[in-house]
Amino acid sequence: AELFARLERAKLPISPAAQAVLTESLIRQGALDEAWSFYAATHPGTDRSTSRDPRFANDQGSRSSLDWQLFSVGGVSTTLEREDGGNVLAFSVSPMGGGLIVRQMQLLPPGRYVLHGTSGKIDAPEMWRPYWELSCQNGRGLGRFPLQNAGEEGGPFVGRFDVPASCPVQYLSLVARPHELGSSLHGTIYEARLSRAQ
């Protein structure tokens, strides 16, 4: 990790895939501080008190847990699509399907946080809409809230979370619920940003 960081500072290119593999290896070994230090060195401007890549600009195939991880399993399909010159997160959930849509590991210091974003192309009763959730690494939930119905033009969403000192590692997840609609439930996330509450 130190070697890669030095290469990065020397302006010698390291492939995104190699960066992601090393970051994930450190995470799996429990070396979270080292993983974050390396990630921050190779991703200038990152801040431990915010989520990363709010507009899904990273379309590399290789990602670590500190990046957005997309899931397509259990009747859920998640992709990055080009729209208006940028990427959007598009998902569909088949009837009675469900599970993770997208997730990102957080290392937030204790405090109060707010998730701001924009979603669109969603039309379903609240009980069947996907929801954002922040949880501790041990599975303890810190709060959740459902997406709002929104048309093609999109609509805002906002949710608030309190992170205790006893929860040093968190996961920000968008989760699909099983539904009984006659066809697949579709939606788009244009932006999602978790940061300290003002």
Side-chain angles (χ1 to χ4, degrees):
E2 184 176 346
L3 171 64
F4 274 29
R6 288 179 177 178
L7 291 173
E8 185 74 18
R9 288 193 293 271
K11 307 299 183 186
L12 296 174
I14 305 167
S15 73
Q19 293 177 14
V21 167
L22 178 53
T23 302
E24 193 63 22
S25 178
L26 290 167
I27 290 171
R28 289 180 179 175
Q29 293 176 37
L32 297 178
D33 288 337
E34 291 84 351
W36 175 258
S37 294
F38 174 68
Y39 187 91
T42 53
H43 295 75
T46 54
D47 184 338
R48 198 161 177 156
S49 63
T50 66
S51 60
R52 294 153 299 284
D53 194 16
R55 294 183 179 270
F56 309 102
N58 178 12
D59 54 9
Q60 301 293 330
S62 299
R63 300 181 180 88
S64 76
S65 296
L66 294 172
D67 301 302
W68 288 117
Q69 294 189 307
L70 282 59
F71 294 84
S72 291
V73 66
V76 176
S77 175
T78 310
T79 59
L80 291 180
E81 298 181 358
R82 296 291 292 177
E83 189 171 302
D84 296 331
N87 288 338
V88 299
L89 182 81
F91 63 86
S92 67
V93 185
S94 62
M96 300 312 296
L100 285 169
I101 296 172
V102 66
R103 180 175 70 182
Q104 187 182 100
M105 174 185 275
Q106 311 297 325
L107 300 171
L108 304 170
R112 180 161 291 181
Y113 292 84
V114 61
L115 175 64
H116 287 285
T118 307
S119 60
K121 304 178 184 177
I122 300 171
D123 183 16
E126 180 175 327
M127 64 180 179
W128 290 336
R129 285 183 229 138
Y131 60 87
W132 285 104
E133 179 177 50
L134 188 66
S135 59
C136 301
Q137 189 176 33
N138 63 9
R140 173 188 171 194
L142 300 176
R144 65 171 61 173
F145 67 93
L147 291 173
Q148 300 298 309
N149 282 336
E152 293 278 345
E153 70 283 356
F157 59 78
V158 60
R160 301 182 185 278
F161 307 100
D162 289 316
V163 176
S166 59
C167 180
V169 181
Q170 313 87 25
Y171 286 98
L172 177 64
S173 308
L174 181 61
V175 183
R177 313 176 204 245
H179 66 84
E180 298 177 9
L181 300 172
S183 59
S184 293
L185 184 154
H186 298 275
T188 300
I189 306 296
Y190 299 103
E191 181 177 8
R193 184 191 305 269
L194 181 67
S195 58
R196 280 193 182 274
Q198 299 297 318

